[in-house]
Amino acid sequence: MKMHGIDRDRHVIHLHCLWIVGCVASSSLPSGPLSISSPVGSQAILPCKWKSQLDNVPVCHILWQTPDAPVFEQNGEQRWQASEFEGRLEVPGEKLWEGDCSLILRDVQFGDVGLYESFMVVDRKRRKRRVFIQSVHLSVYDHKSKLSMGMGEDLVLTLHTPQAMRVVFQGRNSTEWKVNGGRLEEAEGVVVLRGLRLDNSGTYKVLDSHGLSVSTVKLTVEEVAKTQKIIHIQDKPVGKSTVYRSSSLLIVFVLLISPLIQHLV
């Protein structure tokens, strides 16, 4: 009985040593994670290069995970991704064999923020071990812009993501946010507010399903005065026809007055 206990302890120690070997294999990597920033709704690429850590592998078996759980796994033609990332994750197979195990994350959301780690799962002599490749920290930010437009123009608000749910508005001199849905027209990927008025000046926010701001637009609506148009017309540069006309009148004047001058002399 005592011998069986010793064998079991040796087996545990052996597995622990394999885990240490996997850690040592990646000890040449930078101590901290790479930092990637992406605007919400766009595509982010989390870098990963496995050939710097491994010489050759029989099958490309890549695993991406957060500190809490795996999010993506690909072993040959077999692929799996977590439900919250369904349809948004990919590691291109043709690039994977070339050593590029970068994770493509589409339609980035605020809930995607955090630390991601990549591993190659190596299977040699029926023994599997995970070799750490890269850690990446992803941060996500919203879109911000300022616009100055004239009365009667149309304001086009880009939604940026299919997760955008509503638009809210805060007047320039107000502290209250209102759902601005009455005059908004929805189109593919945008909402349009037609025929701007002076009281449309203020801040517009596009919110996602969690009430987080996808984009913020600060709008100033200006009244275009008629005097400005008149001044603009008067300020037009003198054309060639005007110069030629003036020159012709001067020549006629000289021809008419020259006989008088000669008579007086």
Side-chain angles (χ1 to χ4, degrees), residues 182-250:
R183 294 171 54 217
L184 290 177
E185 299 177 10
E186 292 189 25
E188 187 176 354
V190 299
V191 290
V192 183
L193 179 60
R194 300 196 183 279
L196 288 174
R197 306 187 302 249
L198 290 177
D199 60 358
N200 293 137
S201 294
T203 303
Y204 293 80
K205 284 184 178 290
V206 176
L207 305 180
D208 66 7
S209 56
H210 301 287
L212 299 175
S213 176
V214 173
S215 67
T216 302
V217 177
K218 292 187 176 181
L219 174 67
T220 301
V221 181
E222 298 178 342
E223 183 177 7
V224 181
K226 292 182 179 180
T227 53
Q228 292 178 334
K229 291 184 179 179
I230 294 171
I231 292 171
H232 180 68
I233 293 170
Q234 290 176 343
D235 287 342
K236 284 185 178 179
V238 178
K240 290 183 178 180
S241 59
T242 306
V243 174
Y244 293 151
R245 194 181 300 114
S246 301
S247 301
S248 299
L249 290 172
L250 180 60

Side-chain angles (χ1 to χ4, degrees), residues 14-15 18 121-129:
H14 178 66
L15 291 176
L18 285 177
V121 181
V122 181
D123 187 358
R124 287 196 176 100
K125 296 180 181 179
R126 297 182 181 180
R127 292 180 181 178
K128 290 186 178 182
R129 65 186 180 98

Side-chain angles (χ1 to χ4, degrees), residues 26-99:
S26 58
S27 60
S28 60
L29 288 173
S31 56
L34 293 174
S35 294
I36 301 294
S37 295
S38 177
V40 62
S42 66
Q43 176 178 289
I45 298 178
L46 311 186
C48 173
K49 302 288 185 183
W50 65 263
K51 281 198 172 180
S52 60
Q53 304 302 316
L54 295 166
D55 295 330
N56 191 20
V57 292
V59 178
C60 284
H61 186 172
I62 185 69
L63 171 67
W64 277 90
Q65 67 177 42
T66 66
D68 300 323
V71 296
F72 179 86
E73 188 170 2
Q74 181 169 319
N75 184 5
E77 297 298 323
Q78 297 179 336
R79 297 178 184 177
W80 172 88
Q81 51 191 297
S83 57
E84 61 269 29
F85 293 94
E86 190 66 37
R88 298 195 293 133
L89 297 179
E90 182 188 5
V91 174
E94 63 278 7
K95 292 186 178 181
L96 186 56
W97 278 107
E98 297 172 2

Side-chain angles (χ1 to χ4, degrees), residues 6 12 23 27 44 48 61 78 103 113 116 127 129 136 139 150 159-160 167-168 184 199 215 234 238 255 259:
I6 293 171
V12 171
C23 294
S27 60
C48 173
H61 186 172
Q78 297 179 336
L103 182 67
V113 169
Y116 294 79
R127 292 180 181 178
R129 65 186 180 98
V136 182
S139 59
L159 297 179
H160 297 289
V167 177
V168 294
L184 290 177
D199 60 358
S215 67
Q234 290 176 343
V238 178
L255 291 174

